[in-house]
Amino acid sequence: MALPDLSLSLQFARFEGVERHRAALPRHSVARWIRHALDADGEITVRIVDADEGQQLNREFRHKDYATNVLTFDYAQAPMVMADLVLCAPVVAREAKEQRKTLAAHYAHLLVHGTLHAQGWDHETGEADAEEMEAREIEILAGLGIRNPY
């Protein structure tokens, strides 16, 4: 089965330590992780930000005044998935360390997670939806050679 086509824009804000995050996110890996989570062709922008930008976006769009690991802004699901995925580098790095994962493996998980959100998956609508989304993430990551993130 052929994977969906992907038009990817990968952006990095300027912040201290950005090179570590660039190294964990080679463009070909980011594209591979997202394409494995897509059910249709996609146009996706991935932006890696610092804590200030992450907090500002979360406050403005979700009314939550803290930086979170990934924010998904979905614009269309058909005929093409169109979305922006914003990942907060300091939060991702802290979580990876706490969860004893490599930075790349945690980014892979969060990009798969955000891509599923862009297609309408939602873990906050109920326990059954959360379990279904988690199972799908585990399945996709396993296909990428990445162990169960939970």
Side-chain angles (χ1 to χ4, degrees):
M1 180 175 79
L3 292 174
D5 287 332
L6 172 65
S7 174
L8 173 66
S9 175
L10 180 57
Q11 304 172 359
F12 293 84
R14 292 186 180 149
F15 57 88
E16 186 175 335
V18 68
E19 290 310 316
R20 176 175 174 234
H21 295 271
R22 279 186 192 275
L25 291 163
R27 182 180 181 76
H28 68 278
S29 294
V30 172
R32 181 172 175 258
W33 300 332
I34 291 172
R35 287 180 72 212
H36 275 79
L38 282 172
D39 292 327
D41 293 346
E43 290 182 8
I44 296 183
T45 296
V46 173
R47 181 166 171 80
I48 310 303
V49 301
D50 64 6
D52 289 341
E53 186 173 345
Q55 182 174 354
Q56 177 186 351
L57 289 168
N58 201 26
R59 181 176 51 243
E60 185 175 337
F61 292 99
R62 294 181 63 226
H63 309 292
K64 297 183 179 186
D65 196 17
Y66 58 88
T68 190
N69 52 19
V70 60
L71 292 167
T72 301
F73 299 93
D74 59 324
Y75 307 113
Q77 295 176 359
M80 178 177 288
V81 178
M82 298 176 69
D84 294 336
L85 306 179
V86 179
L87 294 97
C88 184
V91 174
V92 175
R94 184 190 74 238
E95 289 177 348
K97 184 178 180 180
E98 290 170 356
Q99 297 170 23
R100 295 188 169 103
K101 298 178 188 175
T102 66
L103 188 57
H106 196 39
Y107 269 121
H109 176 212
L110 293 173
L111 286 166
V112 166
H113 183 87
T115 301
L116 291 178
H117 273 307
Q119 297 172 100
W121 293 76
D122 194 342
H123 54 86
E124 295 181 356
T125 52
E127 188 63 32
D129 290 340
E131 289 175 7
E132 185 178 2
M133 185 171 178
E134 185 177 304
R136 182 68 180 127
E137 289 173 18
I138 292 166
E139 176 185 27
I140 292 166
L141 292 168
L144 292 165
I146 299 170
R147 68 178 177 85
N148 183 335
Y150 299 102

